[in-house]
């Protein structure tokens, strides 16, 4: 009887652990896995097309993992944005250095303190579906739908995240298999101008 009692206790303990693990997994889905592609020197370069009035200008944006140590990755970002003054638009470069928690995507250190505590926007978790809540640098939103997009010479199945603000909107396409953002479109309305920025992955060493 004593042996049967101990066996019952052991089975109950295993059952409790399984239940607890399952609950934790579903409450923390993005903390369950690390990206399979994440390694030092991984990078994605995007062609950035800026359009306003009759003007069109192309620049490039690149993020690169300069180091991976334990649960943290160091990321270097080189990008371009727009500055509007007196009805004139100027495309300006910018750089940032981030240290990212690989599992949660949280930026834990940055060359610009405003980024600290926010979620890296260049990849998301892959165990998601339409309606899933996803947090990035730009806030929390739901996956609105899926869509196929041609990037890097092939059609990719993507999840769509959309953001809307009073004077701008953003749409981001995330590759389903890797979670990597492969296309971005931003529409801004400033000083009677409509500025459209489209960023499309053009070069990478990541096999996804």
């Amino acid at each position: 009887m004593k042996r049967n009692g101990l066996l019952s206790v052991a089975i109950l303990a295993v059952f409790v652990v399984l239940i607890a693990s399952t609950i934790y997994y579903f409450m923390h889905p993005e903390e369950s896995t690390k990206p399979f592609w994440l390694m030092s020197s991984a990078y994605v370069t995007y062609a950035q097309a800026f359009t306003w009035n009759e003007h069109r200008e192309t620049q490039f944006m690149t993020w690169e993992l300069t180091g991976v140590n334990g649960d943290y990755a160091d990321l270097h970002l080189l990008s371009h944005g727009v500055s509007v003054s007196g009805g004139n638009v100027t495309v300006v470069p910018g750089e940032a250095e981030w240290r990212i928690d690989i599992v949660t995507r949280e930026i834990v250190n940055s060359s610009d303190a405003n980024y600290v505590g926010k979620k890296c926007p260049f990849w998301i978790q892959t165990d998601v579906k339409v309606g899933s809540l996803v947090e990035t640098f730009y806030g929390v939103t739901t996956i609105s739908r899926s869509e196929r997009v041609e990037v890097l010479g092939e059609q990719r199945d993507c999840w769509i995240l959309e953001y809307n603000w009073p004077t701008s909107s953003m749409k981001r396409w995330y590759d389903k298999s890797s979670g990597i953002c492969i296309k971005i479109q931003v529409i801004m309305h400033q000083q009677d101008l409509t500025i459209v920025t489209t960023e499309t992955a053009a070069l990478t060493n990541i096999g996804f």
Side-chain angles (χ1 to χ4, degrees):
M1 291 292 292
K2 185 176 181 180
R3 187 173 183 179
N4 289 338
L6 289 174
L7 181 60
S8 298
V9 170
I11 292 173
L12 179 60
V14 171
F15 180 74
V16 169
V17 169
L18 287 173
I19 291 296
S21 299
T22 302
I23 292 173
Y24 182 89
Y25 176 84
F26 283 105
M27 290 182 68
H28 304 80
E30 67 178 325
E31 299 179 8
S32 58
T33 57
K34 297 179 182 179
F36 67 85
W37 52 265
L38 198 147
M39 65 187 71
S40 184
S41 299
Y43 76 90
V44 179
T45 295
Y46 306 77
Q48 292 183 290
F50 298 91
T51 305
W52 65 91
N53 293 338
E54 300 301 318
H55 183 87
R56 181 179 175 86
E57 182 172 337
T58 300
Q59 296 289 345
F60 292 92
M61 173 177 74
T62 298
W63 61 260
E64 180 179 3
L65 299 181
T66 56
V68 177
N69 298 293
D71 290 332
Y72 298 95
D74 293 325
L75 181 147
H76 177 254
L77 171 65
L78 174 62
S79 185
H80 294 80
V82 294
S83 174
V84 183
S85 178
N88 295 315
V89 181
T90 304
V91 176
V92 294
E95 288 188 78
E97 300 281 349
W98 297 344
R99 173 156 290 182
I100 302 165
D101 184 309
I102 293 171
V103 178
T104 66
R105 295 183 297 107
E106 181 179 347
I107 300 168
V108 297
N109 197 5
S110 172
S111 54
D112 184 338
N114 292 319
Y115 294 121
V116 175
K118 297 183 178 181
K119 302 280 188 175
C120 175
F122 295 121
W123 66 87
I124 62 173
Q125 62 271 29
T126 55
D127 53 344
V128 292
K129 59 184 179 181
V130 172
S132 292
L133 283 173
V134 176
E135 183 177 0
T136 73
F137 177 87
Y138 304 99
V140 178
T141 189
T142 59
I143 293 175
S144 58
R145 62 188 183 279
S146 64
E147 186 174 298
R148 288 179 65 81
V149 60
E150 185 170 354
V151 173
L152 297 169
E154 61 180 296
Q155 292 285 325
R156 306 293 304 187
D157 286 321
C158 297
W159 297 119
I160 307 298
L161 292 184
E162 296 179 276
Y163 303 86
N164 291 283
W165 302 286
T167 60
S168 63
S169 62
M170 177 186 290
K171 182 177 178 181
R172 302 177 70 90
W173 288 258
Y174 287 89
D175 176 64
K176 287 185 179 182
S177 64
S178 65
I180 293 174
C181 185
I182 58 175
K183 186 176 180 180
I184 307 162
Q185 184 177 72
V186 179
I187 301 175
M188 296 186 295
H189 305 284
Q190 293 189 26
Q191 300 181 18
D192 297 324
L193 290 168
T194 297
I195 304 166
V196 179
T197 306
T198 303
E199 301 165 332
T200 307
L203 190 64
T204 183
N205 61 355
I206 299 171
F208 59 85

